[in-house]
Amino acid sequence: MCNGEKNDVIELQRRLTAVPALNPESGGEGEWKKAGVLQKFLQRYGFPAPVHHDTPDPRTPEGTRPNFFVRIRGKKEKPCIWVMTHLDVVPPGERLKDGSWKGWKTDPYKLHVDGDILYGRGVEDNQQAIVASLLGARRLLRSDITPPNDIALLVVSAEETGSEYGLQYLLDSHPELFSKDDYIIVADGGNDDGSLIEIAEKSVLWLNFHVSGKQTHGSTPHLGDNAFRAMAGIVKDLDTALHRQFDAEDNLFRPPVSTFEPTRHGRNVPNINTIPGEETFSFDCRILPRYPIDSILKTIEDIISKADAKYGTHTTMEIENRLDTPAPTEPDAPVVKAMQRALKTTRNIEGNPLGLGGSTVAAFFRKAGYQAIVWSTVEGVAHQANEQALISNIIADADVYESLFLHGCL
Ligand SMILES: [Zn+2]
């Protein structure tokens, strides 16, 4: 690792961390300021001028949310290799009376360097990738190499709050930016050796149930309808039926099956000799892409109505969160193969295309019909107190980007 580049990592991270780029939903602003800091570096390093497609948002002082890209011209304009990162960060948490932040050993907005480790809000999510992709591309600029294909570093807002004011806006309002055979890397997630290439995700379904029976005294159960017993029956029936009916395995995923987990349940009665009339409970379901969510809901509704008939209760279901996953990126898509090649060249490891149980911003690209991957070499401490990133990971990721950019599309 050359020291100059290491110093640049620290300097970039220091300047970026100092800007609290919180979303309006999190009570903040600062995406524009952070964009300004980043663009100064891009200019200093000789990148082409940024192209903006900002999202209108009257809640911000500027009236917009910044989205921009810098595009380095290659020998071929298409396919273009895109690396997408985001400006915004999640709030650091609670500020204590003495000015420190709960759980943090240092000021989240002041970069703290400890050997190879950088601490601060945003150093991993998503500045690690902002810095790594920028340095990878800068190496080409410095050696005056025209890459085989166009390279675009895309930086968006609003990733932490649903992407409506960021990537979703770009895809809806400027679909001409992307072409279907472009290589799209969402540099916002991965594992600690960089072998994970995320290409798919499960659908997510969070359900809240409310069971209404009839409360009565512990000595006279025949005068009530025990909501606890009904809940227990429903939970057991859901658990059994969902796992039995939607039992396919897909080795792209860890675990390879759909999961249906009873999670939270509410308080019921305060004393032991009261038969409860009300119960609440929740399920967290992560569903393989092959199963439409509606088919899951239909099964659940059937079970509930049978249980209500059996226990004399009335049960309602509320969907707290529903994400229907788009078709996965193909495990042998060109962008996957290009990443595998870059990992082999730079690290001598095999890139492993896998699915995740949660939703990522790459889903927006996939929904729009693009083959996107999520990749990065991260410790996985995003959103936590004492968020950290390793300088060595950032430089190693820059190596991968350099290789990817130098070799171009397959
Ligand atoms: Zn992120």
Side-chain angles (χ1 to χ4, degrees):
M1 172 192 321
C2 79
N3 259 333
E5 205 165 49
K6 184 177 162 184
N7 292 337
D8 290 338
V9 168
I10 295 171
E11 176 63 5
L12 267 157
Q13 283 275 20
R14 190 185 306 284
R15 299 288 306 280
L16 293 169
T17 303
V19 187
L22 296 173
N23 289 295
E25 290 88 338
S26 308
E29 48 190 76
E31 287 166 334
W32 267 109
K33 197 172 164 204
K34 194 162 170 177
V37 168
L38 182 55
Q39 288 180 5
K40 276 214 187 82
F41 279 98
L42 289 165
Q43 193 183 15
R44 192 202 292 172
Y45 293 160
F47 280 82
V51 179
H52 274 264
H53 293 289
D54 306 320
T55 317
D57 186 349
R59 295 171 302 173
T60 63
E62 298 83 2
T64 55
R65 311 281 291 278
N67 307 300
F68 66 91
F69 62 87
V70 288
R71 189 163 181 144
I72 298 172
R73 292 290 166 199
K75 292 185 183 123
K76 278 194 300 188
E77 196 181 323
K78 284 176 183 176
C80 173
I81 302 175
W82 293 87
V83 180
M84 191 195 94
T85 52
H86 63 88
L87 292 164
D88 54 323
V89 295
V90 295
E94 192 189 334
R95 186 134 206 200
L96 303 173
K97 281 207 186 80
D98 65 0
S100 68
W101 297 80
K102 197 175 176 184
W104 287 84
K105 288 189 209 124
T106 58
D107 184 337
Y109 294 124
K110 219 169 138 197
L111 186 77
H112 178 71
V113 187
D114 182 3
D116 190 35
I117 313 175
L118 305 175
Y119 292 94
R121 173 52 86 228
V123 290
E124 176 184 306
D125 185 13
N126 198 210
Q127 289 155 213
Q128 160 152 352
I130 292 176
V131 175
S133 56
L134 184 156
L135 293 181
R138 183 180 69 164
R139 293 188 197 162
L140 273 68
L141 294 177
R142 278 190 158 168
S143 37
D144 223 6
I145 294 171
T146 303
N149 293 79
D150 273 19
I151 298 158
L153 307 184
L154 170 66
V155 187
V156 298
S157 288
E159 193 277 336
E160 300 293 1
T161 47
S163 292
E164 186 189 339
Y165 292 88
L167 179 60
Q168 186 64 73
Y169 169 80
L170 277 186
L171 289 166
D172 290 345
S173 309
H174 297 280
E176 76 285 355
L177 290 178
F178 308 101
S179 67
K180 295 288 167 179
D181 56 352
D182 281 353
Y183 288 29
I184 296 171
I185 298 140
V186 174
D188 194 19
N191 67 347
D192 62 2
D193 68 357
S195 61
L196 173 67
I197 302 173
E198 193 264 329
I199 58 161
E201 53 207 30
K202 292 176 183 173
S203 290
V204 177
L205 183 62
W206 292 351
L207 299 170
N208 294 318
F209 298 90
H210 185 152
V211 185
S212 280
K214 190 172 171 216
Q215 185 172 315
T216 183
H217 192 269
S219 62
T220 56
H222 58 289
L223 298 179
D225 293 305
N226 190 329
F228 190 170
R229 179 176 290 112
M231 173 177 82
I234 293 169
V235 169
K236 186 166 177 298
D237 289 351
L238 286 176
D239 198 13
T240 309
L242 292 169
H243 283 105
R244 188 180 294 153
Q245 197 171 328
F246 304 100
D247 64 346
E249 291 195 18
D250 184 339
N251 283 321
L252 268 187
F253 293 92
R254 303 273 182 281
V257 290
S258 301
T259 57
F260 306 96
E261 289 297 304
T263 52
R264 180 173 59 188
H265 63 82
R267 296 169 79 93
N268 54 12
V269 288
N271 50 314
I272 197 166
N273 60 344
T274 299
I275 290 174
E278 308 287 331
E279 293 284 1
T280 55
F281 67 97
S282 305
F283 260 69
D284 176 328
C285 312
R286 311 284 167 135
I287 302 150
L288 290 179
R290 72 188 65 195
Y291 295 123
I293 288 188
D294 285 338
S295 64
I296 312 272
L297 290 171
K298 174 83 180 61
T299 297
I300 294 173
E301 279 158 10
D302 288 350
I303 288 169
I304 288 175
S305 60
K306 273 188 204 134
D308 279 344
K310 182 171 167 190
Y311 299 109
T313 45
H314 175 68
T315 303
T316 56
M317 177 178 75
E318 174 227 0
I319 299 174
E320 182 171 322
N321 187 15
R322 170 183 180 157
L323 294 163
D324 297 71
T325 192
T329 293
E330 300 292 330
D332 57 355
V335 62
V336 176
K337 293 203 152 152
M339 180 54 81
Q340 285 171 323
R341 187 173 64 178
L343 289 169
K344 188 82 192 164
T345 308
T346 55
R347 295 184 193 175
N348 199 24
I349 58 169
E350 310 295 330
N352 194 11
L354 280 179
L356 293 185
S359 172
T360 71
V361 67
F364 292 99
F365 277 117
R366 295 190 189 122
K367 246 178 214 146
Y370 302 101
Q371 302 265 306
I373 60 168
V374 181
W375 178 84
S376 209
T377 309
V378 285
E379 305 286 294
V381 288
H383 300 199
Q384 296 174 24
N386 305 309
E387 180 176 348
Q388 53 175 275
L390 303 183
I391 297 171
S392 51
N393 277 347
I394 297 173
I395 305 266
D397 282 6
D399 294 342
V400 172
Y401 287 118
E402 182 190 15
S403 171
L404 202 65
F405 297 155
L406 272 178
H407 289 99
C409 296
L410 300 169

